[in-house]
Amino acid sequence: MDHVDAGPAAPEGTAEQVAEALLSSAVGGATAPGRRRTRFHPLRVAEVRALTDDAVEVTFAIPEALHGEFDYLAGQHVALRATIDGHEMRRSYSLCRPPAPGSISVAIKRDRGGRFSTWAQTQLRPGDEIDVMSPQGTFTSTIAALDGAHVAGIAAGSGITPMMALAATVLARSETSRFTLVYTNRSTSDVMFADDLADLKDRYPTRLALHHVLSREQRTAPLLSGRIDEPRLRRILDALVLPETVDEWFLCGPFALVQLCRDTLADVGVDAAHVRYELFTTGEPGREEPGRGRPVEVRDDEPVRRIDFSLDGQSSSVESPVAAHESILNAALRVRPDVPFACAGGVCGTCRARLVEGSVTMTENYALEPDELERGFVLTCQSHPTTDRVVVDYDV
């Protein structure tokens, strides 16, 4: 099996030098790890720390041999894989700490009815070992020169997770950079990383502007009390986060809030190229888990689509009945259980591949950038063939 380039090797030197090298590349640049062929690796849980009554931070130890596989940019995420009640389950979680050698950390908030998040909060313990996929994602800074840059983030609930890594990295990278964070929750008890945010504010009192907005708890400032709707958001942009002073925006939360922020920022003149966004899913009960591919019976008398794909240097083929209207991912999993995926909802981008031949329709896309679409990339979990033969390449 051919080895696929997984990005630059881990920097050499002392632990302090390695940490500095990772930090210097953590917001982008020539040495930053790019898209890589993602793989699962078994990692040991080093610590489980309570953040709120229904959220924990889980830290994994990274063996020295895997340091290069787990280099990452602030804002990226990993997928976790575990077998729960006999079912394989995968979920993606953002990395919440600035890049450092030897460990990675994610925050997991328990969702109502969420099997994976409930299991992680109630059952996961230090010493346990589960599969973790190498980091990926494009929710990262595109600013080449950070000196004097002003970065702003708007987050809701567990959307704070990538903001923790982004804010800490941006502020540590330059003595003149600024970060403004608007963080909305229902009440004070729902605020994840409350102490960590306070510590970050103490460390950078003049360069970090932190605004907590609570929808079900009265705050001294009326502007910060209540749900963020369009009128409130516009007042926040007028009084707290002046768009003309911001070089780059990061939005993370549920679809409705992220879309509201995108539309409002566009309306006040913010270039979409300067806005990065990421959605979080809630793992609703009954959500279909792709597993090894939904069983599909191919009869001799019905029309089929032929799907050819390359993965790790090996070519595979599978037939998919036209009437089944199944995704490329589901069909591919029937013949190659190692096909990469995580959320299967068009959000994480793990199943990304390049369309080499044929055509498809994509149901959803919250992960691919416009330039990736122009180069022919698709999300195989959301792509349905519309021609008799489709060829995709996971190895590009």
Side-chain angles (χ1 to χ4, degrees):
M1 185 178 296
D2 293 339
H3 174 73
V4 180
D5 183 16
E12 298 179 354
T14 65
E16 291 77 11
Q17 291 170 329
V18 171
E20 178 62 29
L22 287 172
L23 179 60
S24 66
S25 68
V27 289
T31 60
R35 288 278 195 181
R36 73 184 96 194
R37 166 69 169 95
T38 53
R39 305 174 188 277
F40 278 107
H41 300 277
L43 295 183
R44 181 181 58 81
V45 176
E47 182 183 5
V48 178
R49 179 172 74 103
L51 297 174
T52 66
D53 289 343
D54 60 358
V56 294
E57 179 185 20
V58 181
T59 298
F60 297 94
I62 308 298
E64 186 174 353
L66 292 179
H67 279 189
E69 287 292 312
F70 285 92
D71 289 346
Y72 66 94
L73 306 179
Q76 288 191 305
H77 60 267
V78 295
L80 309 185
R81 180 174 68 184
T83 299
I84 302 172
D85 298 329
H87 299 281
E88 179 187 298
M89 304 188 72
R90 306 183 184 197
R91 292 292 184 270
S92 292
Y93 294 101
S94 295
L95 295 157
C96 58
R97 297 292 175 184
S103 68
I104 59 170
S105 298
V106 299
I108 302 176
K109 183 176 182 179
R110 180 162 56 182
D111 298 308
R112 183 181 302 174
R115 294 171 63 190
F116 192 100
S117 60
T118 298
W119 170 82
Q121 190 190 27
T122 61
Q123 303 297 320
L124 207 54
R125 297 288 184 270
D128 291 346
E129 188 175 85
I130 66 173
D131 292 333
V132 182
M133 188 177 281
S134 44
Q136 60 179 318
T138 58
F139 192 62
T140 57
S141 177
T142 58
I143 296 177
L146 286 175
D147 289 342
H150 181 195
V151 179
I154 302 177
S158 57
I160 188 62
T161 308
M163 300 291 185
M164 295 299 301
L166 285 162
T169 301
V170 166
L171 293 168
R173 177 68 174 81
S174 167
E175 294 183 354
T176 57
S177 61
R178 293 183 293 146
F179 200 101
T180 298
L181 177 61
V182 177
Y183 183 25
T184 179
N185 287 278
R186 290 173 299 181
S187 64
T188 303
S189 62
D190 297 311
V191 176
M192 297 170 61
F193 295 104
D195 292 340
D196 302 84
L197 287 168
D199 290 344
L200 201 61
K201 178 63 177 175
D202 289 342
R203 196 178 316 153
Y204 305 105
T206 62
R207 294 196 289 124
L208 173 63
L210 178 59
H211 306 289
H212 288 285
V213 181
L214 303 179
S215 63
R216 299 183 184 178
E217 185 175 312
Q218 194 65 34
R219 304 212 63 204
T220 303
L223 182 57
L224 302 180
S225 301
R227 185 176 63 88
I228 294 184
D229 52 15
E230 183 178 351
R232 189 179 305 279
L233 178 58
R234 288 184 179 274
R235 294 199 301 273
I236 288 173
L237 296 179
D238 287 339
L240 302 179
V241 197
L242 305 181
E244 62 270 20
T245 71
V246 178
D247 299 294
E248 193 169 36
W249 293 83
F250 289 89
L251 315 173
C252 190
F255 177 82
L257 176 67
V258 169
Q259 193 59 48
L260 169 65
C261 292
R262 292 178 69 199
D263 290 343
T264 305
L265 289 173
D267 190 58
V268 300
V270 175
D271 189 338
H274 300 155
V275 180
R276 319 289 286 181
Y277 72 94
E278 186 167 81
L279 306 176
F280 60 68
T281 55
T282 57
E284 297 110 351
R287 176 177 130 183
E288 181 180 343
E289 297 293 334
R292 294 183 175 271
R294 174 171 52 87
V296 172
E297 181 182 353
V298 182
R299 300 196 306 267
D300 294 336
D301 61 344
E302 66 178 326
V304 298
R305 312 281 197 198
R306 177 188 170 99
I307 300 170
D308 296 322
F309 61 96
S310 299
L311 175 64
D312 285 339
Q314 294 183 346
S315 297
S316 301
S317 180
V318 62
E319 290 187 339
S320 174
V322 174
H325 192 61
E326 65 176 337
S327 67
I328 291 176
L329 172 65
N330 189 83
L333 283 169
R334 292 205 301 275
V335 295
R336 287 287 298 272
D338 59 332
V339 172
F341 76 91
C343 77
V347 175
C348 72
T350 304
C351 66
R352 167 186 182 268
R354 187 168 69 87
L355 182 64
V356 177
E357 183 178 329
S359 65
V360 303
T361 58
M362 260 199 308
T363 307
E364 303 284 0
N365 170 36
Y366 302 112
L368 296 179
E369 298 292 330
D371 67 300
E372 293 178 298
L373 294 172
E374 291 176 2
R375 288 183 284 133
F377 285 98
V378 298
L379 300 176
T380 58
C381 74
Q382 298 295 307
S383 296
H384 304 269
T386 57
T387 52
D388 290 340
R389 182 170 182 255
V390 166
V391 181
V392 298
D393 186 354
Y394 285 96
D395 290 337
V396 175

